[in-house]
Amino acid sequence: MKINVTKVKKSRVNEVDMKNLNFGEVFSDHMLIIDYIDGKWQTPQILPYGDICFPPSICAIHYGQVIFEGLKAFYTRDGKINIFRPQKYHERMNRSARRLCIPEMDYDLFFNSMVELLKLDQTWVPHQKGYSLYIRPFIFATDSYIGVRVSKNYRFMIILSPVAAYYKEGLNPVRLITESEYVRAAKGGLGGAKTPANYAASLLPGNEAHKKGFTQVLWLDAAEHKYIEEVGTMNICFVINNEIVTPPLDGTILEGTTRDSVLRIAREAGIKVNERRITIDEVFAAAQNGSLNEVFGTGTAAVISPVGEIQHLDKLIKINDGKIGALSQKFYDEVTAVQYGEKPDKYGWIVTL
Ligand SMILES: *Cc1c(COP(=O)(O)O)cnc(C)c1O
């Protein structure tokens, strides 16, 4: 594959305190750019990380024709670099692209150019267990035109950000609150696509949740405000009578790669998994009668996020005494063991650099 590379004169990696990283604040030396012009993806370029320049009229800013992804690379015990499930993230990027009329990209172009960037910036993959290099691919519409139409030109980019373990003091349970006025995504909308619009819709309710002392919003369905959807940055699983119940992928929630990985591990371990609609009332009833064992979120950033409390209207439930549950811990341990190369990759999830 042809790729044009302009390297930095001097790496910034030694200026970064790799032991004190906040999520998404520090970026590696280089970035990848692939422009889509005249109906095709052009030669990839790797450039020093820095500002990009566009006219104020680009469609992405005015009408939101933008998608993104988020995956990770891990430093293994034997000094190699593992990328977790790149094919799966790439498939989702193309699904999001189709929903937003953005051109798809071949896996080879996506993967090979990502690998070139990772090789160049491999010293940016933190070595501590729990730490990783977050990979953020994104595509945005670049036509200079403020009429509403599908853009003809696009830019694909990847930037890299070293990140610490999500929970510094182990897996800290989060507090969720349901939202009864606002919705994240309605059937037929953008809920199944990884696109900034879904996040824009969630900011105001998210702020209100924070003011009330909650970590995040637990979204309910747009039609009846009854069925549980997801948390907006993570999918959600309930363990009821030792069976995992999680909302189905019917277009309003994002198809999480971590969700898929956890359900696979659960099924292989003989744990019952039920992908079905579940109401908030059912969850509260299960908490009441003692059959709600655990609740946890799944997402690339935290892997597993145990849920300690849920507030719905004027009722609050405490889950598993506000402590992490056995299954949540098991899934965290199993997924991270594969990511860090501590356990054999029996599912074919790892690509080693
Ligand atoms: C990215 C994302 C998730 C989690 O997906 P993973 O592939 O597990 O990281 C869940 N919900 C939304 C809305 C997301 O954007």
Side-chain angles (χ1 to χ4, degrees), residues 89 92 184 194 199 230 232-235 254 256-258 298-300:
Y89 289 95
R92 184 172 67 192
R184 192 190 86 91
K194 208 164 176 78
Y199 285 79
E230 63 155 288
T233 53
M234 23 180 222
N235 298 107
L254 196 82
T257 301
T258 318
T298 62
T300 297

PDB file of all heavy atoms in Angstrom, residues 89 92 184 194 199 230 232-235 254 256-258 298-300, ligand 1:
ATOM      1  N   TYR A  89     -14.983  -3.383  14.656  1.00  0.00           N
ATOM      2  CA  TYR A  89     -15.142  -1.918  14.688  1.00  0.00           C
ATOM      3  C   TYR A  89     -15.255  -1.366  13.269  1.00  0.00           C
ATOM      4  O   TYR A  89     -16.003  -0.424  13.006  1.00  0.00           O
ATOM      5  CB  TYR A  89     -13.966  -1.268  15.428  1.00  0.00           C
ATOM      6  CG  TYR A  89     -13.958  -1.515  16.919  1.00  0.00           C
ATOM      7  CD1 TYR A  89     -13.230  -2.559  17.475  1.00  0.00           C
ATOM      8  CD2 TYR A  89     -14.697  -0.698  17.784  1.00  0.00           C
ATOM      9  CE1 TYR A  89     -13.213  -2.791  18.847  1.00  0.00           C
ATOM     10  CE2 TYR A  89     -14.686  -0.909  19.162  1.00  0.00           C
ATOM     11  CZ  TYR A  89     -13.948  -1.969  19.689  1.00  0.00           C
ATOM     12  OH  TYR A  89     -13.943  -2.185  21.041  1.00  0.00           O
ATOM     13  N   ARG A  92     -18.708  -1.883  11.855  1.00  0.00           N
ATOM     14  CA  ARG A  92     -19.656  -0.904  12.399  1.00  0.00           C
ATOM     15  C   ARG A  92     -19.439   0.467  11.767  1.00  0.00           C
ATOM     16  O   ARG A  92     -20.400   1.195  11.510  1.00  0.00           O
ATOM     17  CB  ARG A  92     -19.513  -0.832  13.924  1.00  0.00           C
ATOM     18  CG  ARG A  92     -20.538   0.098  14.556  1.00  0.00           C
ATOM     19  CD  ARG A  92     -20.514   0.010  16.057  1.00  0.00           C
ATOM     20  NE  ARG A  92     -19.278   0.534  16.608  1.00  0.00           N
ATOM     21  CZ  ARG A  92     -18.897   0.362  17.883  1.00  0.00           C
ATOM     22  NH1 ARG A  92     -19.648  -0.326  18.713  1.00  0.00           N
ATOM     23  NH2 ARG A  92     -17.769   0.878  18.316  1.00  0.00           N
ATOM     24  N   ARG A 184     -32.890   9.713  23.585  1.00  0.00           N
ATOM     25  CA  ARG A 184     -31.615   9.680  22.870  1.00  0.00           C
ATOM     26  C   ARG A 184     -31.840   9.401  21.380  1.00  0.00           C
ATOM     27  O   ARG A 184     -31.303  10.061  20.524  1.00  0.00           O
ATOM     28  CB  ARG A 184     -30.717   8.583  23.461  1.00  0.00           C
ATOM     29  CG  ARG A 184     -29.273   8.628  23.014  1.00  0.00           C
ATOM     30  CD  ARG A 184     -28.522   7.382  23.458  1.00  0.00           C
ATOM     31  NE  ARG A 184     -28.690   6.318  22.485  1.00  0.00           N
ATOM     32  CZ  ARG A 184     -27.873   6.094  21.459  1.00  0.00           C
ATOM     33  NH1 ARG A 184     -26.791   6.818  21.305  1.00  0.00           N
ATOM     34  NH2 ARG A 184     -28.119   5.132  20.602  1.00  0.00           N
ATOM     35  N   LYS A 194     -22.801   5.248  15.037  1.00  0.00           N
ATOM     36  CA  LYS A 194     -21.906   5.951  15.961  1.00  0.00           C
ATOM     37  C   LYS A 194     -21.638   7.325  15.348  1.00  0.00           C
ATOM     38  O   LYS A 194     -20.742   7.498  14.525  1.00  0.00           O
ATOM     39  CB  LYS A 194     -20.621   5.148  16.172  1.00  0.00           C
ATOM     40  CG  LYS A 194     -19.988   5.408  17.534  1.00  0.00           C
ATOM     41  CD  LYS A 194     -18.960   4.347  17.889  1.00  0.00           C
ATOM     42  CE  LYS A 194     -18.253   4.658  19.189  1.00  0.00           C
ATOM     43  NZ  LYS A 194     -19.045   4.341  20.388  1.00  0.00           N
ATOM     44  N   TYR A 199     -24.762  12.042  20.607  1.00  0.00           N
ATOM     45  CA  TYR A 199     -24.121  12.612  21.797  1.00  0.00           C
ATOM     46  C   TYR A 199     -24.624  14.025  22.048  1.00  0.00           C
ATOM     47  O   TYR A 199     -24.852  14.425  23.193  1.00  0.00           O
ATOM     48  CB  TYR A 199     -22.592  12.561  21.642  1.00  0.00           C
ATOM     49  CG  TYR A 199     -22.094  11.152  21.845  1.00  0.00           C
ATOM     50  CD1 TYR A 199     -22.182  10.207  20.836  1.00  0.00           C
ATOM     51  CD2 TYR A 199     -21.614  10.759  23.083  1.00  0.00           C
ATOM     52  CE1 TYR A 199     -21.777   8.900  21.038  1.00  0.00           C
ATOM     53  CE2 TYR A 199     -21.199   9.456  23.298  1.00  0.00           C
ATOM     54  CZ  TYR A 199     -21.280   8.530  22.271  1.00  0.00           C
ATOM     55  OH  TYR A 199     -20.888   7.240  22.478  1.00  0.00           O
ATOM     56  N   GLU A 230     -30.043   1.989  26.531  1.00  0.00           N
ATOM     57  CA  GLU A 230     -28.608   1.888  26.811  1.00  0.00           C
ATOM     58  C   GLU A 230     -28.200   3.108  27.620  1.00  0.00           C
ATOM     59  O   GLU A 230     -29.035   3.918  28.026  1.00  0.00           O
ATOM     60  CB  GLU A 230     -27.809   1.762  25.515  1.00  0.00           C
ATOM     61  CG  GLU A 230     -27.929   2.964  24.593  1.00  0.00           C
ATOM     62  CD  GLU A 230     -26.724   3.103  23.673  1.00  0.00           C
ATOM     63  OE1 GLU A 230     -25.639   3.473  24.180  1.00  0.00           O
ATOM     64  OE2 GLU A 230     -26.859   2.856  22.458  1.00  0.00           O
ATOM     65  N   GLY A 232     -25.764   5.342  26.523  1.00  0.00           N
ATOM     66  CA  GLY A 232     -25.297   6.452  25.697  1.00  0.00           C
ATOM     67  C   GLY A 232     -23.822   6.387  25.383  1.00  0.00           C
ATOM     68  O   GLY A 232     -23.393   6.832  24.326  1.00  0.00           O
ATOM     69  N   THR A 233     -23.022   5.829  26.291  1.00  0.00           N
ATOM     70  CA  THR A 233     -21.623   5.547  25.977  1.00  0.00           C
ATOM     71  C   THR A 233     -21.372   4.060  26.173  1.00  0.00           C
ATOM     72  O   THR A 233     -20.307   3.562  25.880  1.00  0.00           O
ATOM     73  CB  THR A 233     -20.655   6.294  26.908  1.00  0.00           C
ATOM     74  OG1 THR A 233     -21.035   6.008  28.256  1.00  0.00           O
ATOM     75  CG2 THR A 233     -20.727   7.786  26.677  1.00  0.00           C
ATOM     76  N   MET A 234     -22.361   3.388  26.729  1.00  0.00           N
ATOM     77  CA  MET A 234     -22.226   1.949  26.922  1.00  0.00           C
ATOM     78  C   MET A 234     -23.581   1.258  26.799  1.00  0.00           C
ATOM     79  O   MET A 234     -24.629   1.871  27.013  1.00  0.00           O
ATOM     80  CB  MET A 234     -21.592   1.587  28.266  1.00  0.00           C
ATOM     81  CG  MET A 234     -21.686   2.609  29.351  1.00  0.00           C
ATOM     82  SD  MET A 234     -20.891   2.019  30.836  1.00  0.00           S
ATOM     83  CE  MET A 234     -22.090   2.581  32.040  1.00  0.00           C
ATOM     84  N   ASN A 235     -23.527  -0.017  26.471  1.00  0.00           N
ATOM     85  CA  ASN A 235     -24.717  -0.868  26.481  1.00  0.00           C
ATOM     86  C   ASN A 235     -24.924  -1.365  27.897  1.00  0.00           C
ATOM     87  O   ASN A 235     -24.023  -1.275  28.722  1.00  0.00           O
ATOM     88  CB  ASN A 235     -24.524  -2.044  25.514  1.00  0.00           C
ATOM     89  CG  ASN A 235     -24.341  -1.584  24.082  1.00  0.00           C
ATOM     90  OD1 ASN A 235     -23.243  -1.630  23.537  1.00  0.00           O
ATOM     91  ND2 ASN A 235     -25.411  -1.122  23.460  1.00  0.00           N
ATOM     92  N   LEU A 254     -26.732   1.312  20.094  1.00  0.00           N
ATOM     93  CA  LEU A 254     -25.516   1.017  19.338  1.00  0.00           C
ATOM     94  C   LEU A 254     -25.096  -0.434  19.549  1.00  0.00           C
ATOM     95  O   LEU A 254     -25.191  -0.959  20.655  1.00  0.00           O
ATOM     96  CB  LEU A 254     -24.376   1.945  19.743  1.00  0.00           C
ATOM     97  CG  LEU A 254     -23.270   1.893  18.685  1.00  0.00           C
ATOM     98  CD1 LEU A 254     -23.625   2.799  17.519  1.00  0.00           C
ATOM     99  CD2 LEU A 254     -21.932   2.227  19.247  1.00  0.00           C
ATOM    100  N   GLY A 256     -22.643  -2.558  20.407  1.00  0.00           N
ATOM    101  CA  GLY A 256     -21.345  -2.455  21.061  1.00  0.00           C
ATOM    102  C   GLY A 256     -20.472  -3.683  20.833  1.00  0.00           C
ATOM    103  O   GLY A 256     -20.947  -4.815  20.893  1.00  0.00           O
ATOM    104  N   THR A 257     -19.206  -3.456  20.589  1.00  0.00           N
ATOM    105  CA  THR A 257     -18.266  -4.559  20.435  1.00  0.00           C
ATOM    106  C   THR A 257     -17.999  -5.220  21.789  1.00  0.00           C
ATOM    107  O   THR A 257     -17.836  -6.434  21.873  1.00  0.00           O
ATOM    108  CB  THR A 257     -16.951  -4.052  19.809  1.00  0.00           C
ATOM    109  OG1 THR A 257     -17.264  -3.466  18.549  1.00  0.00           O
ATOM    110  CG2 THR A 257     -15.955  -5.168  19.590  1.00  0.00           C
ATOM    111  N   THR A 258     -17.985  -4.423  22.855  1.00  0.00           N
ATOM    112  CA  THR A 258     -17.787  -4.988  24.188  1.00  0.00           C
ATOM    113  C   THR A 258     -19.002  -5.830  24.580  1.00  0.00           C
ATOM    114  O   THR A 258     -18.857  -6.920  25.132  1.00  0.00           O
ATOM    115  CB  THR A 258     -17.555  -3.867  25.217  1.00  0.00           C
ATOM    116  OG1 THR A 258     -16.685  -2.893  24.642  1.00  0.00           O
ATOM    117  CG2 THR A 258     -16.942  -4.414  26.496  1.00  0.00           C
ATOM    118  N   THR A 298     -21.361  -2.028  29.324  1.00  0.00           N
ATOM    119  CA  THR A 298     -20.219  -2.519  28.548  1.00  0.00           C
ATOM    120  C   THR A 298     -19.834  -1.475  27.503  1.00  0.00           C
ATOM    121  O   THR A 298     -20.691  -0.948  26.800  1.00  0.00           O
ATOM    122  CB  THR A 298     -20.567  -3.824  27.802  1.00  0.00           C
ATOM    123  OG1 THR A 298     -21.631  -3.559  26.873  1.00  0.00           O
ATOM    124  CG2 THR A 298     -20.977  -4.923  28.744  1.00  0.00           C
ATOM    125  N   GLY A 299     -18.547  -1.157  27.426  1.00  0.00           N
ATOM    126  CA  GLY A 299     -18.076  -0.209  26.422  1.00  0.00           C
ATOM    127  C   GLY A 299     -16.557  -0.256  26.335  1.00  0.00           C
ATOM    128  O   GLY A 299     -15.901  -0.694  27.288  1.00  0.00           O
ATOM    129  N   THR A 300     -16.014   0.179  25.218  1.00  0.00           N
ATOM    130  CA  THR A 300     -14.571   0.106  24.996  1.00  0.00           C
ATOM    131  C   THR A 300     -13.771   0.865  26.056  1.00  0.00           C
ATOM    132  O   THR A 300     -12.732   0.393  26.505  1.00  0.00           O
ATOM    133  CB  THR A 300     -14.250   0.652  23.586  1.00  0.00           C
ATOM    134  OG1 THR A 300     -14.894  -0.201  22.642  1.00  0.00           O
ATOM    135  CG2 THR A 300     -12.762   0.687  23.311  1.00  0.00           C
TER     136      THR A 300
HETATM  137  C1  LIG B   1     -19.445   3.412  21.384  1.00  0.00           C
HETATM  138  C2  LIG B   1     -20.766   3.298  22.027  1.00  0.00           C
HETATM  139  C3  LIG B   1     -21.120   2.208  22.871  1.00  0.00           C
HETATM  140  C4  LIG B   1     -20.153   1.115  23.256  1.00  0.00           C
HETATM  141  O1  LIG B   1     -19.716   0.362  22.161  1.00  0.00           O
HETATM  142  P1  LIG B   1     -18.331  -0.430  22.242  1.00  0.00           P
HETATM  143  O2  LIG B   1     -18.111  -0.933  20.858  1.00  0.00           O
HETATM  144  O3  LIG B   1     -18.491  -1.517  23.217  1.00  0.00           O
HETATM  145  O4  LIG B   1     -17.292   0.582  22.655  1.00  0.00           O
HETATM  146  C5  LIG B   1     -22.413   2.154  23.363  1.00  0.00           C
HETATM  147  N1  LIG B   1     -23.318   3.123  23.071  1.00  0.00           N
HETATM  148  C6  LIG B   1     -23.013   4.160  22.276  1.00  0.00           C
HETATM  149  C7  LIG B   1     -24.053   5.160  21.969  1.00  0.00           C
HETATM  150  C8  LIG B   1     -21.726   4.296  21.741  1.00  0.00           C
HETATM  151  O5  LIG B   1     -21.452   5.349  20.968  1.00  0.00           O
END
